[in-house]
Amino acid sequence: MSDSLGHLVDWFRHSSPFIHAHRGRTFVVSVGGEALTEDTAAGLVHDLALLSGLGIRVVLVPGARPQIEERLSHQGATIRYVNGLRVTDADALACVRDAVGSVRLELEALFSMGLANSPMAGLRLQVASGNFVTARPLGVRDGVDYLQTGEVRRIDTTAIRQRLDDGAVVLLSPLGVSPTGEQFNLYAEDVAVAAARGLQADKLLFLHEGQGLVDAQGEAIGELTVEQARDWLEPGEAVESPVIAQLARAVAACRGGVARVHLLPRARDGAILGELFSRDGVGTLVTPRAFERLRTAGVEDISGILALIAPLEADGTLVRRTRERLETEIGDFTVVEREGTVVACAALHPIPGTDAAEVACLVVHPDYRGGQRGRQLLRRLEDDARAVGRERLFVLTTRTAHWFQEQGFAPAPVNALPASRQAFYNLSRSSRVLSKPIG
């Protein structure tokens, strides 16, 4: 098998759990009009068409800011901003209508491509657009009449679901109509949030321009809970970033029932696929709760634990455990679960009739050893041991003695083990014994 074919096969095998998990789900995608001003537009549409082909229900909300600004410039007009909000007069609204219509037609054309040698060969994908968005005027605020600038009043979720049920990609416009027939200029991101909340979408994806969120060391931030995101949005605390406005909308979406919001770099080719079909993604995930969970293991985790510990059993680091043994001991295990995958585990075996408990099978997946997961697992086991009246922990290890010593364990002789555990000590492995008081 060639290297390229091998990589392709590996990618499919690793992405298959995500393909199964995403099928039948509703994803709302918000992208700025910049995406259609560059030669990357076709690639973006191909990726969205692929999502639809995999059974994902796609709602696309495109913006049109650069297209609107271009038309305004040609007419020598501008959109005035007051208090951070735009004022859309009649001349500006004409440019908005022209630009939004142009964007819609261009997207419909891209979704209709089906050349024999293209990624969409043989695909007949329907795009549904229409009066799905009901708007209302912003009105007069602080003495300022915002004219034809509006906000979302209602999303016709019933009609959208009907089109999605038919297999179409639904295209929502940032131009809404009121019950009186007036047209209003809307923020595309606000339309996306309203649609995601109304549909109770499984995911809302924002494609942003420029740099994403980074920490003080310049490292990309992969995940934020809503509470953590709020810290970025506190006055005087938020860093200058083009995604801060999207972050605020992400928080609003999560509060409205959207399970996950993803902030992705639009300029990165394949960002949507990289985010949805890999374990760690390529952007920032915002969720109501932590993306990664530390919890007691259940029988459904047995296969994941076996896959995690298999390489260490093969090289002799761990004693081999059968599935049957693991089934009987599963209640002693704690796991770290990330996106439905067990990425770390550890077991606590209290020794009956003693004040001791054994720490065993503490394993962190190689891709996740840069964080504090091992320490978090150990602290959890220490708390669990105290809760059942144990006053000391011990561990037997052949290769990780230094790490355990860094966590407060000290070398101990074999005869320091409880008698029942000494009886099963394997002399051929020559495991080092370490102990730690926790009382």
Side-chain angles (χ1 to χ4, degrees):
M1 183 183 295
S2 67
D3 288 344
S4 59
L5 179 57
H7 290 318
L8 178 64
V9 171
D10 286 343
W11 185 88
F12 266 108
R13 287 172 175 166
H14 285 94
S15 63
S16 59
F18 303 101
I19 293 174
H20 295 310
H22 296 333
R23 185 178 294 118
R25 306 293 187 179
T26 300
F27 295 175
V28 176
V29 181
S30 173
V31 59
E34 292 83 358
L36 296 180
T37 64
E38 301 177 7
D39 57 9
T40 57
L44 171 63
V45 169
H46 293 164
D47 291 349
L48 294 172
L50 175 59
L51 298 187
S52 180
L54 291 172
I56 295 170
R57 297 152 64 88
V58 178
V59 178
L60 177 61
V61 188
R65 184 184 59 80
Q67 291 84 353
I68 294 170
E69 289 178 349
E70 180 182 10
R71 286 160 173 78
L72 288 168
S73 177
H74 285 165
Q75 293 192 9
T78 60
I79 287 185
R80 186 165 57 98
Y81 287 83
V82 180
N83 298 325
L85 299 172
R86 57 197 180 196
V87 179
T88 307
D89 59 20
D91 291 338
L93 184 62
C95 293
V96 171
R97 285 198 300 261
D98 185 25
V100 168
S102 174
V103 166
R104 178 177 63 82
L105 290 173
E106 186 171 354
L107 284 169
E108 288 178 356
L110 289 170
F111 275 111
S112 300
M113 291 192 308
L115 295 176
N117 60 348
S118 77
M120 295 175 67
L123 180 64
R124 295 185 59 83
L125 186 62
Q126 296 296 313
V127 177
S129 58
N131 57 340
F132 299 122
V133 182
T134 301
R136 61 189 172 200
L138 281 181
V140 178
R141 302 187 178 189
D142 297 327
V144 178
D145 188 345
Y146 288 91
L147 302 174
Q148 299 309 121
T149 297
E151 60 186 357
V152 178
R153 177 177 180 178
R154 185 173 66 88
I155 300 290
D156 191 345
T157 56
T158 300
I160 292 173
R161 289 192 179 100
Q162 289 174 348
R163 304 307 189 277
L164 294 173
D165 290 343
D166 292 336
V169 170
V170 172
L171 192 62
L172 297 186
S173 169
L175 189 64
V177 180
S178 73
T180 62
E182 293 181 273
Q183 296 176 333
F184 291 97
N185 184 14
L186 309 175
Y187 288 93
E189 294 91 344
D190 290 342
V191 174
V193 171
R197 293 176 65 161
L199 293 165
Q200 288 294 279
D202 299 280
K203 291 182 182 292
L204 170 58
L205 295 90
F206 283 116
L207 275 72
H208 63 75
E209 301 300 314
Q211 185 182 38
L213 297 176
V214 296
D215 60 21
Q217 288 71 45
E219 297 293 327
I221 296 176
E223 176 192 351
L224 289 172
T225 64
V226 166
E227 291 303 315
Q228 291 169 330
R230 288 177 61 188
D231 293 338
W232 284 75
L233 302 173
E234 290 294 329
E237 295 295 327
V239 298
E240 291 296 327
S241 166
V243 297
I244 288 297
Q246 290 184 350
L247 184 61
R249 290 180 168 98
V251 170
C254 288
R255 288 175 174 167
V258 180
R260 293 181 178 180
V261 182
H262 303 256
L263 310 181
L264 309 178
R266 196 270 306 171
R268 179 166 179 175
D269 185 34
I272 291 178
L273 301 183
E275 180 74 6
L276 296 178
F277 299 104
S278 65
R279 188 180 298 156
D280 295 319
V282 300
T284 299
L285 170 67
V286 183
T287 63
R289 298 173 302 279
F291 178 48
E292 192 170 282
R293 291 196 298 155
L294 183 69
R295 59 173 176 79
T296 302
V299 292
E300 69 278 4
D301 300 308
I302 290 175
S303 295
I305 293 173
L306 287 171
L308 184 64
I309 66 179
L312 298 178
E313 292 177 339
D315 68 12
T317 301
L318 292 178
V319 175
R320 192 172 299 277
R321 284 172 170 77
T322 64
R323 176 177 286 271
E324 291 73 18
R325 177 183 172 186
L326 196 54
E327 287 176 352
T328 63
E329 296 180 347
I330 193 64
D332 291 348
F333 275 80
T334 297
V335 297
V336 177
E337 177 196 17
R338 184 178 180 87
E339 189 71 9
T341 299
V342 175
V343 298
C345 69
L348 179 74
H349 303 309
I351 307 301
T354 74
D355 66 349
E358 179 181 5
V359 173
C361 201
L362 199 161
V363 180
V364 179
H365 190 283
D367 292 346
Y368 297 94
R369 289 177 185 167
Q372 301 293 317
R373 294 173 182 85
R375 291 183 176 88
Q376 291 169 359
L377 276 168
L378 186 57
R379 285 197 296 268
R380 171 69 173 266
L381 298 190
E382 291 178 4
D383 291 341
D384 290 347
R386 293 188 190 96
V388 294
R390 297 312 190 261
E391 297 181 358
R392 62 189 177 102
L393 298 177
F394 66 87
V395 63
L396 280 71
T397 180
T398 57
R399 304 187 185 183
T400 57
H402 284 183
W403 184 86
F404 279 102
Q405 287 179 261
E406 291 170 4
Q407 315 313 313
F409 284 76
V414 174
N415 61 16
L417 294 172
S420 59
R421 187 62 182 86
Q422 289 183 47
F424 291 98
Y425 181 81
N426 189 339
L427 292 174
S428 65
R429 283 180 59 81
S430 299
S431 297
R432 296 186 61 182
V433 179
L434 296 100
S435 179
K436 178 181 180 178
I438 59 170

